[in-house]
């Protein structure tokens, strides 16, 4: 449990430092734009296509018991200067119910861990709308196919989940809009979630089918 707590603290520290660096970059860009008369900061890229991922894709370290093996890929198409649609490919493993809120005392407590893991993967759709400068909202709808694994990684069942997320964030372009960062907060809701093996259901039934105010950071390339 100590290793898990250390990993969480380390991840939060790295994320905080990265966000601070991004805001410094934003401030420097604004200053440069004021000098040159450019207004690129906060502007969405003129390129039509983009590829991005969550920072969680690069955070698959630590003990196997709590490693989520998170992998996420977004491919977007810019419909208008303010509207982007896309597809999302994602895969991860859950070691505990995701309905435990960040502020709950039992969040990441080993007493709430599954008797194994749930492997989830799916392909979904996304939509992003720029509200003002770089401020945006977005929605992601992701059907997920679930595989239940016991502690020996043997399959014990299958399932299905309809996973939706609702985002508020800021688009930060870099290097003439070739690269970008999108720090954001999102709320997650899964209206459909089929039942699984009893040991997993005992844990799942204690918690909600939503998760509020998850911080995230998307890293992308436009082309």
């Amino acid at each position: 449990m100590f290793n898990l707590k250390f990993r969480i603290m380390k991840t939060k520290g790295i994320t905080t430092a990265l966000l601070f660096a991004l805001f410094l970059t934003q401030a420097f860009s604004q200053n440069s734009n004021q000098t040159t008369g450019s207004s690129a900061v906060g502007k969405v890229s003129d390129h039509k296509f983009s590829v991005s991922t969550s920072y969680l894709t690069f955070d698959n370290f630590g003990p196997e018991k709590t490693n989520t093996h998170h992998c996420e890929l977004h491919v977007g198409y810019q419909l208008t200067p303010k509207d982007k649609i896309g597809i999302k490919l994602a895969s991860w493993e859950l070691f505990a119910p995701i309905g435990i809120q960040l502020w709950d005392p039992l969040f990441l407590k080993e007493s709430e861990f599954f008797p194994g893991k749930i492997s989830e993967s799916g392909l979904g759709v996304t939509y992003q709308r720029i509200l003002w400068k770089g401020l945006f909202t977005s929605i992601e709808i992701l059907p997920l196919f679930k595989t239940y694994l016991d502690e020996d990684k043997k399959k014990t069942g299958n399932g299905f989940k309809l996973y939706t997320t609702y985002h508020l964030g800021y688009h930060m372009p870099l290097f003439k809009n070739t690269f970008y960062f999108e720090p954001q907060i999102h709320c997650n809701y899964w209206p459909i979630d089929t039942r699984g093996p009893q040991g997993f259901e005992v844990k799942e039934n204690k918690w909600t089918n939503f998760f509020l105010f998850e911080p995230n950071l998307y890293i992308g390339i436009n082309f």
Side-chain angles (χ1 to χ4, degrees):
M1 191 63 188
F2 173 79
N3 290 334
L4 176 59
K5 289 182 177 179
F6 176 78
R7 177 179 173 236
I8 295 168
M9 291 174 63
K10 181 179 178 182
T11 301
K12 287 182 177 179
I14 292 173
T15 304
T16 301
L18 181 56
L19 288 175
F20 180 68
L22 293 178
F23 282 114
L24 286 179
T25 302
Q26 181 82 341
F28 176 78
S29 299
Q30 287 177 334
N31 184 64
S32 298
N33 289 333
Q34 288 174 357
T35 303
T36 62
S38 172
S39 57
V41 175
K43 181 181 178 181
V44 178
S45 171
D46 293 329
H47 301 295
K48 285 294 184 179
F49 294 93
S50 65
V51 175
S52 64
T53 187
S54 166
Y55 84 98
L56 294 169
T57 300
F58 308 105
D59 192 36
N60 292 312
F61 305 101
E64 178 61 28
K65 187 172 185 179
T66 55
N67 193 327
T68 60
H69 297 287
H70 193 109
C71 184
E72 190 170 326
L73 179 68
H74 305 250
V75 179
Y77 177 76
Q78 199 76 43
L79 281 175
T80 74
K82 291 189 175 183
D83 299 282
K84 178 192 286 188
I85 58 173
I87 59 174
K88 174 179 178 178
L89 178 66
S91 176
W92 51 66
E93 294 181 356
L94 305 178
F95 59 87
I98 56 175
I100 308 175
Q101 306 303 317
L102 282 168
W103 54 85
D104 194 288
L106 292 178
F107 181 72
L108 292 178
K109 292 293 185 180
E110 196 163 354
S111 62
E112 303 306 306
F113 286 9
F114 292 132
K117 284 188 175 182
I118 304 176
S119 177
E120 300 183 337
S121 59
L123 179 67
V125 295
T126 67
Y127 170 71
Q128 182 189 85
R129 172 71 178 181
I130 295 294
L131 301 177
W132 177 75
K133 292 189 176 181
L135 185 68
F136 70 83
T137 60
S138 63
I139 180 172
E140 300 177 359
I141 302 174
L142 183 66
L144 289 167
F145 295 95
K146 303 164 52 174
T147 301
Y148 294 87
L149 306 171
D150 64 18
E151 294 180 346
D152 296 321
K153 295 187 177 180
K154 294 181 179 178
K155 179 180 174 180
T156 60
N158 293 315
F160 175 80
K161 175 188 291 181
L162 182 61
Y163 188 71
T164 66
T165 60
Y166 308 87
H167 306 239
L168 178 65
Y170 194 84
H171 180 91
M172 303 172 64
L174 295 171
F175 307 114
K176 297 182 179 179
N177 294 328
T178 302
F179 300 94
Y180 64 87
F181 296 99
E182 290 180 344
Q184 58 199 269
I185 296 289
H186 52 92
C187 298
N188 315 319
Y189 172 58
W190 45 103
I192 300 175
D193 192 9
T194 59
R195 297 180 63 85
Q198 184 177 4
F200 290 85
E201 284 303 305
V202 169
K203 299 294 185 181
E204 290 274 25
N205 289 339
K206 295 172 59 178
W207 305 100
T208 63
N209 64 337
F210 60 86
F211 186 82
L212 302 177
F213 312 125
E214 178 182 359
N216 209 332
L217 175 66
Y218 284 3
I219 305 165
I221 302 173
N222 292 309
F223 58 94

